[in-house]
Amino acid sequence: ELQVWVGDFNTLTEADYNEQEWDNIVKQRVENGRQHPCNKVPTEIKKMGFSDCWEMAQRPNPRSTSKFNTRVDYIYCSSEFLTTWNLEKFWHHPSQASDHNLV
């Protein structure tokens, strides 16, 4: 089935960060009384056969989509979608319209 899932998933992908960056994110969240970042949502979406368009585009800068300098906004495409459509360009565009960058 041709599907595109787009949105603020409010989750992080650990593989987006090096070890030091991930440790800093965990530390900052704990210090701010927030829960430890969860990596389950992106993992499960990929198990369902979806591809992360930012990864497909070779992870262009800027990586961040939120005011916390983390990526929480995603575009996922089903494998069936990718047999019909090609990803030609992808970027996170800073915007004053939201506390998130446009994807």
Side-chain angles (χ1 to χ4, degrees), residues 3-4 14 19 30 38 40 52-53 55-56 60 62 66-67 74 77 83 85 88 92:
Q3 295 186 34
V4 178
E14 188 172 353
E19 187 175 343
V30 169
C38 177
K40 292 180 184 177
D52 181 336
C53 291
E55 289 178 358
M56 291 174 53
S66 78
K67 65 182 180 182
Y74 299 84
C77 294
T83 63
W85 297 90
E88 291 191 14
H92 297 145

Side-chain angles (χ1 to χ4, degrees), residues 28-86:
Q28 181 181 27
R29 290 175 68 100
V30 169
E31 287 174 355
N32 291 331
R34 299 174 72 209
Q35 71 184 76
H36 190 284
C38 177
N39 193 51
K40 292 180 184 177
V41 173
T43 302
E44 291 302 315
I45 291 173
K46 288 178 183 177
K47 282 182 185 176
M48 296 169 61
F50 286 82
S51 296
D52 181 336
C53 291
W54 180 73
E55 289 178 358
M56 291 174 53
Q58 306 302 310
R59 302 170 176 245
N61 285 322
R63 170 185 59 199
S64 172
T65 65
S66 78
K67 65 182 180 182
F68 298 106
N69 200 28
T70 55
R71 184 171 81 108
V72 297
D73 303 276
Y74 299 84
I75 299 177
Y76 290 102
C77 294
S78 66
S79 56
E80 293 85 359
F81 182 88
L82 295 171
T83 63
T84 305
W85 297 90
N86 294 317

